[in-house]
Amino acid sequence: ERAQPSVPFTQFYRLILYGSWYNDLSGHRFSILAMKLRGGLQGKYGKSYADPERFIPQTHRFYAGGGSSIRGWSSRRLVASGDPTLELGGDLLLESSLELRINPLQNLRDSFLDKLWTVFFLDAGNVWQRARDLQVQGIAVATGMGIRYDTFFGPFRIDFGIRVYDPLVSGGASRWITGRKFLSETVAGGVFHFGIGHAF
């Protein structure tokens, strides 16, 4: 009988805090203000803590960027520094989003048009390799707008996000949207996101 190979495992903890809030500003669902806060922290413990051969699995790490994250970046493409290992995820995640959802045609009582929503959003956050790497200048900011269409299985969503502050751009002034060419750099670098259901 062949002995089974010994596969090392990693002991790690994982903490996720999530909150979302919604406020009907008009009283009849004409405009809704929505907010999301999300944070995640994880790390090795026990015998795994000091063992460099033991890693937290890539599938269990935190990522930033995408249609339900910071929408100025593609899925999992946002990192806080030039460290290429962050593309494999990090141990600290901070995200926040603010959305204004407007249903401008609801008074038409049209079976198609009154299901159409316009959304304006502002996202901020990032992922870091370790908690001690957290720096304010590493927080990315994105903004944009989108369209929602209500269906019986949930809203169909299209968002277009642009980068307001990109922590990876070299040069302090060009990190901000005001230091870049609007059409050829900011808009051209924007990202479309498609999905079913609201971003949060």
Side-chain angles (χ1 to χ4, degrees):
E1 182 178 349
R2 291 194 314 177
Q4 295 295 321
S6 176
V7 179
F9 65 92
T10 302
Q11 297 169 297
F12 69 95
Y13 62 88
R14 182 178 175 91
L15 175 66
I16 298 175
L17 298 176
Y18 182 91
S20 56
W21 299 265
Y22 306 90
N23 184 21
D24 186 349
L25 301 178
S26 62
H28 52 84
R29 299 186 77 247
F30 174 79
S31 57
I32 296 175
L33 185 66
M35 184 173 69
K36 176 195 77 175
L37 293 174
R38 180 173 179 243
L41 176 66
Q42 64 184 17
K44 298 189 296 183
Y45 71 91
K47 294 182 179 179
S48 300
Y49 180 76
D51 188 348
E53 299 299 320
R54 297 177 187 264
F55 302 96
I56 296 177
Q58 185 179 340
T59 53
H60 290 278
R61 296 176 70 81
F62 295 115
Y63 299 88
S68 298
S69 180
I70 315 300
R71 284 166 276 186
W73 283 261
S74 301
S75 179
R76 297 188 173 194
R77 301 303 298 173
L78 174 59
V79 294
S81 71
D83 185 352
T85 62
L86 275 174
E87 294 185 5
L88 302 178
D91 290 339
L92 175 66
L93 171 73
L94 295 176
E95 286 183 352
S96 64
S97 294
L98 188 68
E99 279 193 354
L100 179 62
R101 304 169 182 173
I102 302 173
N103 183 207
L105 303 176
Q106 66 174 213
N107 291 331
L108 295 180
R109 305 299 180 188
D110 181 276
S111 60
F112 177 84
L113 294 178
D114 64 4
K115 295 182 176 65
L116 197 63
W117 292 75
T118 302
V119 174
F120 301 91
F121 61 83
L122 180 68
D123 302 327
N126 216 322
V127 63
W128 288 265
Q129 180 74 32
R130 296 167 296 272
R132 63 174 178 268
D133 297 330
L134 172 64
Q135 293 182 338
V136 173
Q137 60 265 36
I139 297 176
V141 181
T143 190
M145 65 177 299
I147 295 173
R148 310 284 185 270
Y149 182 74
D150 288 334
T151 68
F152 69 92
F153 53 83
F156 177 73
R157 168 167 50 97
I158 302 175
D159 286 331
F160 180 72
I162 59 175
R163 302 173 186 183
V164 175
Y165 177 78
D166 187 347
L168 279 184
V169 172
S170 59
S174 57
R175 291 181 177 182
W176 290 96
I177 190 173
T178 53
R180 302 191 299 269
K181 295 179 181 179
F182 184 71
L183 291 178
S184 62
E185 294 180 345
T186 300
V187 175
V191 182
F192 280 101
H193 302 280
F194 304 89
I196 300 295
H198 288 289
F200 59 93

